[in-house]
Amino acid sequence: MDDSGRPQPGSGTTDDHQAARPGPTPPPSPSANGEARANSVPHTPRDPEEPPHEEHPEDAAPDDQGDTSATAPDTGPGPDPFTKQTPAGDDAAPPAQDPASQGDTPPTRTPATSGRRPAKAPEPRGGLLMGRPFGVPVYVAPSWFLVAALITWVFGGQLDHVLPGLGAVRYLVSLFFAVAFYASVLVHELAHTVAALRFKLPVRRIQLQFFGGVSEIEKESETPGREFVLAFVGPLLSLVLAGVFYLGMLAVEPGTVPGVLLAGLMISNLIVAAFNLLPGLPLDGGRMLRAIVWKITGKPMSGTVAAAWVGRALAITVLIGLPLLTQSGALGEGAADVSGMDTVTDALLAAILAAIIWTGAGNSLRMARLREHLPELRARTLTRRAVPVESATPLSEALRRANEAGARALVIVDADGEPRSLVREAAIVGVPEHRRPWVAVSGLAQDLTDGMRVSAELAGEELLDTLRATPATEYLVVEESGAIYGVLSAADVERAFVKAMARPS
C-alpha cells in the first residue's frame, strides 16, 4: 500500500471576477478567492489536488508487516515516525484494524486526520460596508477616499474655468461628482453581479477602490457564451448610463451646475465603457476575447493565454502611448498647453494603469494554470497513512506503532474501532521526547466533527469547497463504505496547491 506524501499549501480559493471601471483594478491577493481579476474576470477557487511530489515507496508498510497501520501525522524533525514522508497513492490507506491488535498482522491503512486544523481563510476586509444589494456585500475601500479627494481637487479646478462664479462651492460640487461617478461604477459592477447570480455563480463581494470597482465571483463560467455575457454586461451598462446622462443634459440649461455635472458623468461613463472594452485581460474586453477564443478552440486555457498576452501588449501600449497622446494634443489640449507637471502626472497615471493591466494579465494566466491542474489534486493521493490507537495509549507507544507501520498520523478510536478524534501533529511536536511515555494521546487530540470527515473520492474544486466549509488542520478521510482510509493534513493540501501553481501548463 502506498502512503500519501505531503503536497503543498493551497487555500481556498475562490474566483474573483473583478471589473475596474475607470481603469483596471489591481487583482486582490489570493485570499480566499484566489486570484482576483480586474474588470469582470471570474476567478476560480483554489484547489489543491496534486499527487504527492516526493514518493518513497520504501517507506510504505508492506502487506506482511506487523502492526495496524493508519496515517500518522508528521511531527517534523526528530527521530519519530512523524519525520518520515510516505507516499500516498490510490491504494494508500488500507482498512483500519483494532488498535489493540499487535504482532504480525498485516498493516492496514486507516484514515486519521493528521496535522493541523486548517484555519479558514479569513474573509478579506473590504473596507466600509455600504449595503448588500442582491445579498452581495458592497465595500468601499480606504483607497477610495484618496481618489475621491483627488477627483474633488482636479474637477474643482476645472469648474473654476467653466463656472467661475461658484467660488469655494465648486469643491462641494466636485465631491458630489466623485460620489455620483462611483455610484455609476457600482451600477457597472452590479451588472456583473446580477449576470453571475443569474448563471448561479456565487458572488463574494463588490469592492469600490482606487481605480474603480471589483466584483469577486467565486466560480468560473461553464461555457464561453456565459463568459462573454458576464463580461459584456458591465460595459453595456456604462454605455446605457452615458446615454441616460446625455438625455438628462439635453433637458437642462448648458453652462449650469446640473449641465456640467451631467456632461462630466456622461463622458466619464463613456471612458469607463471604452477602456473596459479593450481586448486584453484583466479588462472586460479581455474576458470577451477569452470567450471567443475558447469557443473557437474549445479550450478555455487557449483563450486565457491569448487574452493575457494581448493584455500585456496593451499594458505596454498604455505605458508608452498615453503620455505621447497627451503631448501631441490628441486628447483635446494643444501640445503648447501641456505643462511639465501635466507631463509627469500623465506619465505616472500611465505607469499605474500599465502595471495594473500587466499584473492582472499575469494573475489570469496563473489562475488558469491552477484550474488546469485542479483535477490532478485528489484527497486519496494527498492522504497520509494513519495508525488507530486507544485514548489511553502513551504517545511514545503510539509513535512506535506508527513508525513500524510507516504511518504519519494517529487516529483515536473507541472500543469498537470507531474513530473519535485525531491527534494533532502540532501538539505532538510540542511534547519533548523524554515526556512522551507519560503523555496520553487523548490529551493531544481534537474531537471529530461531521465536517472533518471527508470522502477519499473528493478532488479538485469539490475538495477545496469541502475543506473551506469546515476549517481544520486535519481531516479524517473515509471510503464510501465508511471505512477509515487515512488522514488529510491541511498543510499538505496547501503545499500541493502551491506546487500546482508553480507547474507549467
Side-chain angles (χ1 to χ4, degrees):
M1 301 297 189
D2 289 338
D3 294 307
S4 64
R6 302 171 45 182
Q8 314 191 351
S11 60
T13 147
T14 62
D15 289 354
D16 299 326
H17 178 184
Q18 305 185 345
R21 299 320 137 204
T25 60
S29 62
S31 66
N33 116 103
E35 132 214 54
R37 301 177 190 137
N39 302 301
S40 47
V41 178
H43 294 204
T44 60
R46 311 188 281 188
D47 193 337
E49 210 186 40
E50 173 176 29
H53 312 304
E54 294 186 349
E55 294 198 5
H56 307 286
E58 67 274 12
D59 290 341
D63 289 341
D64 60 350
Q65 211 173 347
D67 212 35
T68 59
S69 74
T71 312
D74 199 354
T75 58
D80 53 49
F82 289 55
T83 61
K84 231 174 144 179
Q85 289 192 1
T86 49
D90 289 345
D91 58 349
Q97 295 187 357
D98 188 333
S101 64
Q102 298 183 18
D104 296 334
T105 57
T108 57
R109 290 199 64 173
T110 340
T113 64
S114 76
R116 325 148 203 148
R117 238 194 128 123
K120 183 177 184 179
E123 188 75 16
R125 297 188 179 184
L128 182 64
L129 178 63
M130 302 302 294
R132 295 179 178 271
F134 306 103
V136 177
V138 176
Y139 293 95
V140 173
S143 60
W144 178 84
F145 295 95
L146 176 61
V147 75
L150 181 63
I151 291 175
T152 300
W153 177 60
V154 173
F155 193 67
Q158 297 296 324
L159 282 178
D160 194 33
H161 298 293
V162 179
L163 301 171
L166 286 180
V169 178
R170 68 181 185 274
Y171 291 108
L172 185 60
V173 175
S174 299
L175 178 60
F176 179 83
F177 170 79
V179 174
F181 170 68
Y182 268 86
S184 64
V185 171
L186 176 59
V187 172
H188 179 121
E189 294 304 328
L190 286 173
H192 291 302
T193 296
V194 171
L197 295 176
R198 173 86 175 178
F199 295 144
K200 302 193 184 314
L201 301 175
V203 181
R204 189 181 185 199
R205 66 175 181 175
I206 295 174
Q207 187 182 51
L208 300 180
Q209 49 188 229
F210 188 87
F211 264 97
V214 175
S215 302
E216 296 183 7
I217 299 174
E218 297 184 343
K219 299 283 186 181
E220 182 74 11
S221 300
E222 296 178 355
T223 65
R226 290 185 174 186
E227 172 83 341
F228 187 92
V229 171
L230 191 61
F232 181 61
V233 290
L236 176 62
L237 255 292
S238 292
L239 289 173
V240 170
L241 284 176
V244 170
F245 290 130
Y246 174 73
L247 293 177
M249 188 176 62
L250 296 179
V252 300
E253 285 290 326
T256 62
V257 170
V260 171
L261 284 175
L262 289 169
L265 290 171
M266 178 196 70
I267 294 172
S268 61
N269 275 277
L270 285 175
I271 293 174
V272 167
F275 185 81
N276 280 281
L277 284 172
L278 293 175
L281 287 173
L283 303 174
D284 291 332
R287 305 309 303 170
M288 295 161 64
L289 174 62
R290 175 182 183 266
I292 293 172
V293 176
W294 177 3
K295 178 68 174 179
I296 294 173
T297 64
K299 299 177 181 179
M301 186 64 183
S302 298
T304 301
V305 171
W309 280 105
V310 172
R312 287 174 168 174
L314 179 62
I316 296 174
T317 302
V318 168
L319 179 64
I320 299 173
L322 184 58
L324 291 179
L325 285 174
T326 305
Q327 288 291 326
S328 66
L331 297 181
E333 285 187 53
D337 298 330
V338 179
S339 67
M341 188 62 183
D342 290 335
T343 301
V344 172
T345 301
D346 292 335
L348 180 60
L349 177 63
I352 293 174
L353 290 177
I356 291 173
I357 296 173
W358 183 279
T359 302
N363 286 340
S364 298
L365 276 176
R366 281 190 293 273
M367 291 310 296
R369 184 184 305 128
L370 173 62
R371 285 193 299 271
E372 191 176 45
H373 290 309
L374 285 187
E376 303 170 11
L377 304 179
R378 300 182 298 275
R380 187 178 294 277
T381 303
L382 300 175
T383 298
R384 297 176 176 186
R385 171 169 292 191
V387 168
V389 295
E390 293 179 335
S391 60
T393 305
L395 178 58
S396 59
E397 170 61 16
L399 294 181
R400 183 193 65 78
R401 296 183 194 178
N403 192 33
E404 289 183 356
R408 294 169 46 234
L410 300 172
V411 179
I412 296 179
V413 297
D414 61 17
D416 297 324
E418 289 295 320
R420 295 302 178 190
S421 57
L422 302 174
V423 180
R424 294 174 296 115
E425 178 183 12
I428 295 174
V429 176
V431 178
E433 190 169 354
H434 68 275
R435 285 192 45 79
R436 291 179 179 181
W438 317 107
V439 176
V441 291
S442 59
L444 309 174
Q446 178 172 8
D447 291 340
L448 279 171
T449 63
D450 290 340
M452 291 171 63
R453 297 172 186 260
V454 301
S455 170
E457 303 305 320
L458 289 180
E461 186 174 333
E462 187 180 4
L463 172 62
L464 289 182
D465 289 343
T466 300
L467 300 189
R468 280 197 297 265
T470 306
T473 53
E474 291 94 20
Y475 299 84
L476 182 67
V477 182
V478 296
E479 297 283 11
E480 291 183 359
S481 63
I484 295 176
Y485 179 77
V487 168
L488 178 64
S489 168
D492 291 346
V493 174
E494 290 172 0
R495 281 188 287 272
F497 173 77
V498 169
K499 187 70 176 289
M501 287 287 286
R503 292 176 55 187
S505 300

